[in-house]
Amino acid sequence: MKTLILGSSGKIGKFFVKKNKNLVFTYNKNKILGGIKFNLNKDNINHVINKFNIRKAVILSAYSEPDFCFKNKKKSYRLNVKSTQNIIKTLIKKKIYFFYFSTEFVYDGKNKNYKEISKTKPNTIYGNQKLIVERFIKKNTDNYAIFRISKTYSKKKNEKDFVSEFYNNIKKNITHFKAATDQIFNPIYVQDIVKISNFFLKKEIKGTFNIAGPQPLSRYQCLQILRSKLSKKMQKKITIRKIKLLNFKFIEKRPLNLSLNIKKLQNIYPYELKYFNEL
């Protein structure tokens, strides 16, 4: 009996990829070694389930860039909602335990310290698409877990996250930065997400969970921490100017304070989560 990881070539999914005979990985455009090509919009999931005797699944596949979802409403809705719902219908029919990667963007960011029972009111197309699927899952099964993921980061300098972006800009001799003081989130180390996922898969834990780091920080505070990791000489070259998120040009208005309460997770997950300053 194997576990299916749908979307293993994405920003988070590729950290799941490892040599394990009990895991089956899928990709669409970006080929991964040992993975199987699978198009969520076109291919039949029954074939994969039957061929590999799948008994658990992780749904990572999505268009996750908010601006892309806004500019491509029909295309993103097809993948993020309709095709994902079709996959979930099959998993439910076959009584397969699964968990679905949702987002912190299901909250509107007008409050703080959101709990899983807090009101969901997304103010982006992307957040709304994720919430539609969440509600579909809850209406049709109880054999699931939903992960509302906060902003992720890794230690690798070539990733597409805000940590890598900072260091890559420095490599390009960019030393002046602007960072919002009013954009708050709980950055979570991507390897912690993998460990949490493995724990959930093993125990088949059910329910909705905020999956986030243990400390809420502003974007400005994060960059200050990253600067402190540089040499003294380099630190003197870096300037970080405080601004408001409204000064950035986004197609949609972005939620501000997405600090998450993770007590529900901490009550069942017995391991420490990495603090951002431990980077």
Side-chain angles (χ1 to χ4, degrees):
M1 296 187 292
K2 296 186 178 183
T3 296
L4 177 64
I5 313 292
L6 285 163
S8 299
S9 60
K11 187 170 72 171
I12 297 176
K14 59 187 174 184
F15 287 92
F16 281 79
V17 178
K18 58 184 178 180
K19 290 184 178 180
N20 188 323
K21 63 181 181 179
N22 293 319
L23 297 178
V24 177
F25 306 102
T26 75
Y27 66 91
N28 184 20
K29 293 181 179 179
N30 302 314
K31 188 174 182 178
I32 56 174
L33 185 65
I36 58 172
K37 184 172 174 56
F38 184 83
N39 186 318
L40 206 72
N41 288 330
K42 299 177 181 179
D43 294 333
N44 187 343
I45 194 66
N46 273 298
H47 173 71
V48 178
I49 291 172
N50 295 334
K51 180 178 179 179
F52 295 100
N53 192 20
I54 300 297
R55 298 315 308 156
K56 300 176 185 180
V58 179
I59 304 173
L60 287 153
S61 300
Y63 290 120
S64 58
E65 172 52 47
D67 283 352
F68 177 89
C69 293
F70 182 85
K71 289 186 288 186
N72 301 273
K73 294 181 181 68
K74 290 184 178 179
K75 183 177 182 178
S76 61
Y77 186 87
R78 183 187 179 195
L79 180 75
N80 288 355
V81 179
K82 297 304 296 182
S83 295
T84 300
Q85 286 179 335
N86 288 335
I87 294 292
I88 291 168
K89 287 177 185 176
T90 301
L91 298 177
I92 292 171
K93 185 177 180 180
K94 292 184 173 293
K95 298 181 180 179
I96 292 172
Y97 167 79
F98 66 93
F99 58 83
Y100 169 69
F101 272 63
S102 186
T103 174
E104 61 185 351
F105 274 54
V106 298
Y107 306 114
D108 63 12
K110 294 180 180 179
N111 297 301
K112 60 182 179 179
N113 196 38
Y114 287 96
K115 297 180 180 179
E116 290 83 355
I117 59 173
S118 297
K119 185 176 181 180
T120 50
K121 192 178 180 182
N123 49 19
T124 64
I125 294 294
Y126 170 62
N128 188 60
Q129 290 172 348
K130 287 292 189 177
L131 185 59
I132 290 171
V133 177
E134 281 196 20
R135 289 173 173 169
F136 175 82
I137 292 169
K138 293 175 182 178
K139 182 179 178 180
N140 289 283
T141 184
D142 58 3
N143 193 27
Y144 71 89
I146 291 171
F147 284 7
R148 291 174 177 166
I149 302 289
S150 186
K151 192 175 294 295
T152 62
Y153 67 93
S154 74
K155 291 183 178 180
K156 295 184 177 181
K157 301 294 175 65
N158 59 344
E159 294 301 317
K160 293 180 180 180
D161 58 44
F162 70 100
V163 173
S164 295
E165 182 182 12
F166 177 78
Y167 288 121
N168 288 334
N169 280 331
I170 291 174
K171 287 181 181 179
K172 298 174 185 177
N173 293 318
I174 297 173
T175 57
H176 299 280
F177 297 86
K178 299 175 183 178
T181 57
D182 57 346
Q183 184 189 25
I184 313 294
F185 50 86
N186 293 54
I188 181 166
Y189 184 46
V190 70
Q191 292 293 354
D192 277 340
I193 295 178
V194 175
K195 291 175 183 177
I196 292 167
S197 299
N198 289 335
F199 182 80
F200 270 66
L201 285 168
K202 183 178 180 180
K203 304 285 186 179
E204 293 193 17
I205 296 167
K206 301 176 178 66
T208 301
F209 294 85
N210 289 333
I211 307 296
Q215 182 182 22
L217 294 167
S218 70
R219 172 79 67 153
Y220 176 79
Q221 288 173 316
C222 287
L223 291 198
Q224 290 281 30
I225 290 171
L226 293 178
R227 180 172 66 174
S228 72
K229 305 294 181 179
L230 300 171
S231 67
K232 295 294 183 182
K233 182 179 179 180
M234 183 57 71
Q235 286 183 43
K236 291 178 181 179
K237 295 181 180 180
I238 305 296
T239 58
I240 305 172
R241 185 159 67 90
K242 296 179 180 179
I243 65 168
K244 299 293 184 181
L245 192 65
L246 292 174
N247 295 126
F248 287 100
K249 292 183 179 180
F250 295 111
I251 297 176
E252 287 182 290
K253 186 178 179 180
R254 296 291 175 90
L256 290 176
N257 194 330
L258 289 174
S259 55
L260 302 183
N261 185 307
I262 59 169
K263 287 184 179 178
K264 183 177 179 181
L265 172 66
Q266 290 174 320
N267 284 338
I268 63 165
Y269 184 67
Y271 306 105
E272 293 290 326
L273 298 172
K274 186 183 288 294
Y275 282 79
F276 187 71
N277 62 9
E278 297 175 326
L279 185 72

